[in-house]
């Protein structure tokens, strides 16, 4: 195994994000995507967590499978929403027993029905304290280039991130479409004394309606030029080509700007992420 903090200190990284499958067919799709992307020798992968902790067991199962059946270095997402401290302690013990050394500590989303769930935590920072106290994990936290949608101001958002990074090893960003959002974030964090790596998250666009909905939830803006290009497409494959071209250019711009690596959101499909990784010369092919 390897700690992501150490990997980022050694080289530029390539990583992918997957989500836990909920059906047998989805499990087969995940296995196919993992197999194809494993061939690119990514430095690590991450496995997401459902709203309100709804996928907590599936996340653990996928991470364990990756540890035992693949060569990948998995990072488990862990959210504070919907958890007691006792539950979190148990999950961390399970991860250590399974050889997991990397955790992404997050605030998380409420369940889809919006009904509050029992939790001993209010913010990701509270969860971060407990994960860091174990001394067992390389820890990542979330960063929002365009500011977290619930932040009261840009300054408070950056100060909060700086506090998290004082205990964590690195940050992964929410997706965005303009390199200047990332550059500004890094500059703002540097001004606050942060020297921890901030890895940009890249979401290739394969469906305009889907990405628009996701952007609204995350506080990201889909630029008009990209919307215009996508609306000119008449087939799904044309949409995919526009998405690949836009993401590949963004990745190149980010690497030119000094990004310590790239984290590609796969939506459990390999083809688009694979093509982008090859385009920017970070894949081992």
């Amino acid at each position: 195994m390897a700690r992501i903090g150490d990997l980022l200190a050694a080289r530029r990284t390539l990583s992918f994000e997957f989500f836990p499958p909920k059906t047998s067919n989805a499990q087969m799709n995940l296995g196919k995507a993992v197999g194809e992307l494993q061939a690119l020798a990514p430095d690590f992968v991450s496995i997401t967590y459902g709203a309100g902790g709804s996928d907590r067991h599936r996340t653990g199962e996928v991470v364990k499978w990756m540890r035992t059946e693949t060569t990948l270095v998995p990072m488990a997402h862990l959210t504070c929403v919907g958890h007691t401290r006792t539950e979190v302690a148990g999950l961390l013990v399970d991860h250590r027993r399974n050889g997991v050394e990397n955790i992404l500590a997050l605030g998380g989303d409420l369940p889809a029905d919006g009904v509050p769930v029992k939790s001993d935590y209010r913010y990701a920072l509270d969860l971060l304290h407990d994960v860091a106290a174990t001394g067992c994990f390389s820890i990542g936290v979330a960063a929002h280039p365009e500011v977290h949608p619930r932040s009261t101001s840009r300054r408070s958002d950056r100060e909060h991130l700086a506090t998290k990074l004082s205990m964590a090893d690195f940050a992964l960003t929410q997706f965005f479409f303009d390199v200047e959002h990332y550059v500004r974030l890094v500059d703002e964090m540097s001004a606050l004394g942060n020297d921890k790596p901030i890895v940009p998250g890249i979401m290739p666009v394969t469906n305009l309606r889907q990405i628009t909905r996701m952007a609204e939830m995350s506080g990201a803006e889909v630029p008009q030029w990209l919307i215009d290009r996508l609306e000119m497409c008449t087939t799904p494959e044309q949409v995919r080509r526009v998405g690949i071209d836009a993401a590949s250019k963004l990745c190149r711009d980010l690497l030119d700007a000094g990004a310590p690596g790239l984290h590609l959101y796969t939506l459990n499909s390999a083809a688009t992420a694979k093509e982008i990784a090859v385009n920017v010369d970070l894949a081992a092919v």
Side-chain angles (χ1 to χ4, degrees):
M1 279 292 285
R3 292 186 169 227
I4 293 172
D6 295 336
L7 295 174
L8 287 165
R11 60 181 179 273
R12 272 183 166 163
T13 59
L14 170 67
S15 53
F16 300 109
E17 180 175 288
F18 302 98
F19 61 84
K22 295 183 179 181
T23 66
S24 57
N25 284 340
Q27 178 68 54
M28 292 177 63
N29 289 338
L30 173 63
K32 182 175 182 291
V34 167
E36 291 184 35
L37 293 175
Q38 179 178 240
L40 303 185
D43 296 279
F44 65 93
V45 298
S46 70
I47 301 90
T48 66
Y49 213 67
S54 60
D55 286 340
R56 70 183 72 174
H57 300 301
R58 282 190 288 265
T59 298
E61 289 166 0
V62 172
V63 170
K64 182 178 180 180
W65 168 70
M66 286 184 172
R67 281 285 294 121
T68 58
E69 302 296 331
T70 78
T71 60
L72 299 170
V73 175
M75 173 173 63
H77 289 211
L78 183 60
T79 69
C80 68
V81 172
H83 283 313
T84 65
R85 282 191 158 83
T86 299
E87 289 171 338
V88 165
L91 289 166
L92 293 175
V93 168
D94 288 344
H95 284 317
R96 285 301 296 143
R97 285 175 176 165
N98 292 327
V100 176
E101 294 185 287
N102 303 287
I103 297 287
L104 187 65
L106 303 165
D109 300 317
L110 291 174
D113 59 15
V115 176
V117 289
K118 181 180 179 181
S119 178
D120 286 343
Y121 303 97
R122 185 176 182 186
Y123 299 112
L125 186 60
D126 304 324
L127 174 63
L128 180 57
H129 277 286
D130 283 1
V131 179
T134 69
C136 296
F137 302 97
S138 181
I139 308 171
V141 295
H144 291 73
E146 296 171 81
V147 180
H148 192 286
R150 294 196 296 271
S151 290
T152 57
S153 69
R154 189 177 193 93
R155 180 171 182 82
S156 66
D157 181 272
R158 297 326 191 211
E159 289 175 344
H160 183 67
L161 177 57
T163 301
K164 292 194 297 182
L165 280 170
S166 69
M167 289 183 287
D169 299 296
F170 61 95
L172 283 181
T173 79
Q174 181 57 264
F175 68 85
F176 57 96
F177 297 100
D178 188 333
V179 67
E180 291 304 319
H181 292 310
Y182 175 80
V183 171
R184 185 178 179 186
L185 167 64
V186 172
D187 287 345
E188 289 168 337
M189 298 312 299
S190 178
L192 291 174
N194 172 71
D195 61 357
K196 302 286 181 66
I198 300 175
V199 181
I202 311 300
M203 177 71 80
V205 179
T206 57
N207 182 295
L208 178 57
R209 181 178 299 178
Q210 178 188 50
I211 200 66
T212 300
R213 183 176 66 252
M214 295 172 69
E216 289 174 352
M217 293 173 60
S218 68
E221 179 184 0
V222 183
Q224 190 59 48
W225 65 263
L226 181 55
I227 294 173
D228 291 342
R229 287 185 62 188
L230 291 167
E231 288 181 339
M232 292 176 62
C233 298
T234 58
T235 67
E237 179 57 23
Q238 288 178 349
V239 171
R240 197 177 81 87
R241 294 274 17 124
V242 169
I244 288 173
D245 290 346
S248 297
K249 182 181 185 306
L250 177 59
C251 287
R252 294 188 193 97
D253 290 344
L254 287 164
L255 294 175
D256 288 344
L262 299 172
H263 188 66
L264 299 178
Y265 298 103
T266 70
L267 300 181
N268 289 7
S269 179
T272 297
K274 181 177 181 179
E275 190 165 344
I276 294 166
V278 171
N279 284 348
V280 298
D281 297 322
L282 278 184
V285 293

